[in-house]
């Protein structure tokens, strides 16, 4: 049966070679004609995917991409829940490649991570992936080889639900966000290793100093500078790789290309956002148009109306918009460090444009982002300075509490009312660090706090509704209600100066043992972010039940942003035997070592050994 | 012996890893899997990089006399262990001769989040008579963002000297950067033939204003001031040399 969505979504599915704009699938159709090449949907159960090098045009400039079927992003794959699909992937590159099906619950030997779940796909080789589809929703796929993801090797997946879709809409678009650089990714990474601030052109200057002296007074400004200086850290370290090298893309289109999605006023439009960037966390808003979040990481959530959301690398959000006016809207996807933006237009007719809002000033990190929850000391039940006498023993790279000025640290951003006291209590105690801290660890969070009630770095003060993880509640009750039998704590660690990243102070190159899960156990994974950056943490093969309250509607996610200085918990049902990649989805953090393997094993067999 | 131990440690590490995660061996050729695992480990935190930097590559003019000065360093290695080289020197254009020229070859090991310990050799090509020194030093980022390079030297004649260098960066804008720099030299004894006196022997201070066209390419202008102290100054006076000088400089800072 051809549904309305199918008509809109897959008309070009079998029309190989058809490049007429009108015949392009809805998700790829744009009001602009200069980069329509390659945005196609494929559907069915059998797919041929060819990995190759392709010349692409980004904002009028020629670049070399690694593509799937010659397309950037790779073709939209439209699956149907319950089907078994077969993908023959041919590697035409001169190096190994792979495809990982991000968020899909597949048998581990089909997960596509070279060196963990399979050997990779050699040049000239065709590898066949085959697996049943146990879920529905918005997902994506990408290379897990080297830095290919940076070069364009990613594409969207939509899995149609077997039963009726609880989300009603008249039209849908996929919005694949990504970051593109004309530099070679290996050169880019090498620069970060040599000079980690290479791409940060938003550091604090002498001018900022004098402005702050005027605003805050000399004493406070000096104290602030001395405090950060003593730690040898910069409160402007928001993104490692920025608009200084990146062009930010929507469905392969730069801001100048202005990808345009058409709607008829009064329609309910479903936007399926996928953050397929290598390194960029985006803040997404549509000025003048509220969004109702209906899905997160492929799974339905109870609808929540918001005006802006932060989307970490590898996360997906589906939202419904309901534009009534006969006017264009700008889909504004500002980077977390506000060094650039991806932009698209929603319009009733091609060629229409709306105003592009100016980039907002980049945020500055605070002591809270350092895992020193000092801006919460006013909260009564929080520890005061006097209780922290034990800190010297913790090798905290020379932090000076005397130098801190609390008036300077953005209390205004805190929503005390919204913070549950249980989470405060969790964060209010001194954090233990039972992991190696050596050269690769430049700080440890002494008092990390739960920040699930906060919308993400830099959105604390926006004058409108910004989504928080605490707002998300799954539509269906969680399949597993068991209380976790075991808790494991994992610390996100790094050294910004040397550009080293790791879990528990150990880079993947030095890891000797995987993280062990036992088959069917229910366990709690607590993540402590010792660094000053937001890390989107991704576990393959299993979903995280994000512990944002004591209820059975925890949002289930494959990727979760752990904010700087945050401690949060996710519950996991270890129902998928095998070895699974577990890593920060910021590509260069993973490449620098922020990765581990989670090995799910039969408990009895383990004992027998 | 130490290398042998490291090698053993590496081998045993590799061996444990083999047994650590092998679920895929049930589906794919275990030898192929092991190759892929080794490659993944190496490329996920174990990479080697090469860095070359000409911190100062400049022309100095002091009362009409031209001097070319270079100060470059670089390394090859991973996060912890590196081979590090440094070279610096001065060439007097009018006299058409090298005033100073030295090279250092060092083993560098990261010993803390912000500091490397460096040991190795330094060879002075000029002045004559030339010297070779054993070097031990530390280099890194001190609190409050001071780039510090401090080293002690023992020459093949038994003389002990030391040098400490510190740099700081003030951002006028994101690309216009003012860099004060100071270098102090010390000696444990008089080395008359080289004109070095014991104690603090020379002080150098400079200020350079650079513009980063790209991060890697930055032309600069500035000034440099040198002063010989104590016995070193006396030796210079005996030779009829000046004990202090102020130069204007124009140069280029490069890295790759």
């Amino acid at each position: 049966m051809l549904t309305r969505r199918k008509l809109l979504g897959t008309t070009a599915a079998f029309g190989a070679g058809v490049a007429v704009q009108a015949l392009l699938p809805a998700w790829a159709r744009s009001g602009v004609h200069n980069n329509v090449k390659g945005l196609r949907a494929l559907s069915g159960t059998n797919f041929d995917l060819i990995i190759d090098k392709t010349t692409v045009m980004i904002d009028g400039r020629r670049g070399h991409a690694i593509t799937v079927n010659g397309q950037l992003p790779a073709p939209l794959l439209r699956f149907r829940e319950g089907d078994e699909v077969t993908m023959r992937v041919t590697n035409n590159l001169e190096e190994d490649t792979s495809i990982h099906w991000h968020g899909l619950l597949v048998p581990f030997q089909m997960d596509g991570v070279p060196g963990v779940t399979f050997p990779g796909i050699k040049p000239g080789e065709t590898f066949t992936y085959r697996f049943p589809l146990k879920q529905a929703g918005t997902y994506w796929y990408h290379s897990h080889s080297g830095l290919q993801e940076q070069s364009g090797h990613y594409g969207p997946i939509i899995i149609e639900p077997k039963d009726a879709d609880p989300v009603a809409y008249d039209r849908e678009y996929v919005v694949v966000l990504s970051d593109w650089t004309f530099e070679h990714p290996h050169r880019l990474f090498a620069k970060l290793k040599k000079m980690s601030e290479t791409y940060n052109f938003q550091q604090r200057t002498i001018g900022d100093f004098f402005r702050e002296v005027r605003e805050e007074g000399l004493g406070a400004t000096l104290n602030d500078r001395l405090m950060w200086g003593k730690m040898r850290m910069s409160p402007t370290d928001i993104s490692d790789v920025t608009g200084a090298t990146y062009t930010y893309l929507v469905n392969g289109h730069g801001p100048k290309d202005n990808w345009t999605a058409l709607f008829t006023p009064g329609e309910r439009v479903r936007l399926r956002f996928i953050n397929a960037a290598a390194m960029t966390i985006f803040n997404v808003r549509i000025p003048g148009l509220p969004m109702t979040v209906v899905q997160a990481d492929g799974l339905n959530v109870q609808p929540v109306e918001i005006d802006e959301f932060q989307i970490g690398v590898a996360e997906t959000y589906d939202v419904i918009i309901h534009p009534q006016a006969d006017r264009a809207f700008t889909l504004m996807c500002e980077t977390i460090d506000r060094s650039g933006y991806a932009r698209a237009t929603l319009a009733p007719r091609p060629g229409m444009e709306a105003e592009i809002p100016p980039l907002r000033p980049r945020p500055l990190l605070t002591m809270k982002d350092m895992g020193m929850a000092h801006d919460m000391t006013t909260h009564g039940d929080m520890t005061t300075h006097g209780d922290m006498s034990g800190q010297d023993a913790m090798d905290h790279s020379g932090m000076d509490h005397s130098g801190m000025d609390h008036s300077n640290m953005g209390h205004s951003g805190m929503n005390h009312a919204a913070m549950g006291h249980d989470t405060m209590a969790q964060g209010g105690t001194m954090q233990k660090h039972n992991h190696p801290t050596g050269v690769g660890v430049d700080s440890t969070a002494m008092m990390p706090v739960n920040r699930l009630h906060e919308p993400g770095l830099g959105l604390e003060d926006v004058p409108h509704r910004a989504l928080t993880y605490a707002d998300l509640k799954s539509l269906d009750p969680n399949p597993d209600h068991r209380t976790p039998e075991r808790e494991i704590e994992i610390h996100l660690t790094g050294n910004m100066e040397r550009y080293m990243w790791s879990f528990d102070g150990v880079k993947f190159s030095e890891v000797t043992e995987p993280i062990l899960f036992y088959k069917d156990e229910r366990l709690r994974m607590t993540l402590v972010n010792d660094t000053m950056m937001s890390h989107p943490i991704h576990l393959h093969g299993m979903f995280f039940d994000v512990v944002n309250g004591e209820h059975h509607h925890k949002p289930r996610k494959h990727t979760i942003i752990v904010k700087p200085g945050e401690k949060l918990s996710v519950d996991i049902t270890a129902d998928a035997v095998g070895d699974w990649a577990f890593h920060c989805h910021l590509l260069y953090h993973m490449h620098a070592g922020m990765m581990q393997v989670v090995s799910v094993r039969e408990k009895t067999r383990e004992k027998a050994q | 012996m130490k290398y042998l131990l490291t090698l053993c440690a590496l081998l045993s590490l590799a061996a444990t890893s083999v047994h650590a995660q092998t679920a895929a061996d049930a589906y794919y050729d275990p030898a192929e899997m092991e190759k892929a695992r080794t490659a993944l480990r190496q490329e996920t935190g174990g990479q080697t990089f090469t860095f070359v930097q000409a911190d100062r590559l400049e022309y100095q003019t002091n009362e009409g006399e031209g001097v070319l000065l270079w100060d470059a360093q670089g390394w090859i290695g991973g996060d912890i262990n590196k081979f590090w080289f440094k070279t610096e020197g001065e060439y007097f254009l009018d006299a058409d001769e090298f005033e100073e020229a030295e090279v250092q070859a060092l083993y560098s090991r990261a010993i803390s989040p912000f500091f490397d310990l460096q040991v190795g050799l330094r060879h002075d090509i000029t002045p004559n008579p030339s010297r070779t020194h054993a070097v031990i030093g530390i280099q890194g980022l001190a609190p409050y963002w001071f780039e510090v390079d401090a080293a002690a030297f023992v020459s093949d004649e038994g003389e002990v000297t030391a040098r400490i260098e510190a740099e700081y960066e003030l951002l006028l804008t994101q690309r216009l950067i003012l860099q004060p720099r100071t270098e102090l030299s010390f000696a444990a004894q008089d080395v008359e033939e080289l004109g070095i006196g014991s104690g603090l022997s020379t002080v150098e201070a400079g200020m350079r204003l650079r513009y980063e066209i790209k991060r890697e390419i930055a032309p600069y202008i500035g000034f440099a001031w040198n002063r010989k102290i104590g016995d070193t100054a006396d030796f210079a006076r005996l030779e009829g040399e000046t004990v202090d000088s102020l130069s204007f400089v124009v140069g280029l800072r490069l890295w790759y």
Side-chain angles (χ1 to χ4, degrees), chain A residues 248-275:
Chain A
Y248 301 100
L249 308 183
V250 173
N251 292 336
H253 296 67
K256 286 186 210 147
D257 289 344
N258 187 23
W259 184 81
T260 301
L262 300 180
F263 68 88
T264 306
E267 276 183 324
R268 288 169 59 85
V269 184
R270 179 176 195 160
L271 301 175
R272 296 173 180 266
F273 287 95
I274 298 166
N275 186 351

Side-chain angles (χ1 to χ4, degrees), chain A residues 221-285:
Chain A
T221 308
L222 270 179
N223 276 340
D224 177 69
R225 292 306 195 277
L226 288 173
M227 178 187 70
W228 286 102
K230 188 161 189 181
M231 295 185 297
R232 289 158 283 192
M233 290 188 186
S234 167
T236 68
D237 275 342
I238 314 290
S239 294
D240 302 331
V241 192
T242 69
T245 187
Y246 278 151
T247 305
Y248 301 100
L249 308 183
V250 173
N251 292 336
H253 296 67
K256 286 186 210 147
D257 289 344
N258 187 23
W259 184 81
T260 301
L262 300 180
F263 68 88
T264 306
E267 276 183 324
R268 288 169 59 85
V269 184
R270 179 176 195 160
L271 301 175
R272 296 173 180 266
F273 287 95
I274 298 166
N275 186 351
M279 287 297 281
T280 308
I281 296 170
F282 290 97
N283 296 324
V284 178
R285 68 198 204 271

Side-chain angles (χ1 to χ4, degrees), chain B residues 20-245:
Chain B
Q21 39 119 349
T22 52
D25 291 2
Y27 298 89
Y28 304 101
D29 178 2
E32 285 296 307
M33 273 313 298
E34 192 44 38
K35 261 196 268 176
R37 278 192 279 264
T38 306
L40 180 67
R41 269 199 304 275
Q42 193 277 328
E43 71 175 36
T44 312
Q47 309 95 326
T48 296
F49 295 93
T50 311
F51 178 65
V52 185
Q53 179 182 41
D55 194 26
R56 291 181 295 158
L57 212 56
E58 69 194 23
Y59 173 77
Q60 299 190 342
T61 175
N62 176 18
E63 292 169 1
E65 285 188 38
V67 178
L68 293 179
L69 178 144
W70 76 92
D71 176 0
Q73 59 181 317
W75 48 258
I76 179 165
D79 289 326
I80 306 298
N81 298 304
K82 291 179 171 75
F83 168 76
W84 204 296
F85 78 89
K86 299 178 187 181
T87 174
E88 60 178 270
E90 288 172 24
Y91 181 79
F92 281 27
L93 287 167
D94 294 342
D96 193 16
E97 64 177 20
F98 287 99
E99 168 73 5
E100 279 171 21
E102 66 164 63
V103 290
Q104 292 185 38
L106 306 162
Y107 162 72
S108 177
R109 183 174 175 85
I111 52 164
S112 82
F114 296 98
F115 275 95
D116 293 344
L117 175 71
Q118 301 177 334
V119 294
L121 292 175
R122 164 182 146 197
H123 182 70
D124 298 344
I125 299 155
T126 54
N128 276 319
S130 78
R131 291 277 198 277
T132 299
H133 312 251
V135 184
I136 180 162
I138 56 161
Q139 183 166 356
L141 186 65
Y144 310 109
W145 298 102
F146 289 97
E147 290 275 0
V148 175
D149 182 358
F153 309 96
V154 183
S155 78
D156 48 7
E157 300 290 328
E159 301 121 349
V160 176
T161 54
R163 245 177 359 215
I164 177 162
E165 210 180 300
E167 290 177 357
Y168 190 78
E169 297 195 339
L170 284 159
L171 272 66
L172 303 186
T173 71
Q174 296 299 329
R175 292 176 188 271
L176 191 64
I177 296 163
L178 190 65
Q179 185 194 52
R181 177 179 185 285
T182 179
E183 183 176 328
L184 306 175
S185 302
F186 304 87
Q189 65 293 299
D190 285 356
V191 188
E192 238 183 292
E193 57 181 341
L194 297 176
I196 300 171
S198 67
L200 176 63
S201 54
T202 57
V203 175
E204 281 180 55
M207 187 78 90
R208 287 168 181 78
L209 179 67
R210 72 172 186 266
Y211 184 79
E212 296 189 341
I213 299 168
K214 294 173 63 175
R215 278 277 190 253
E216 303 97 310
I217 303 173
Y220 63 81
I221 54 168
F223 66 87
W225 175 78
N226 289 295
R227 176 164 179 100
K228 296 183 169 72
I229 312 282
D231 289 352
T232 310
D234 294 340
F235 288 134
R237 285 192 196 95
L238 283 172
E239 293 287 320
E241 291 171 12
T242 52
V243 296
D244 65 357
S245 69

Side-chain angles (χ1 to χ4, degrees), chain A residues 25 136 178 571:
Chain A
S178 61
D571 288 349

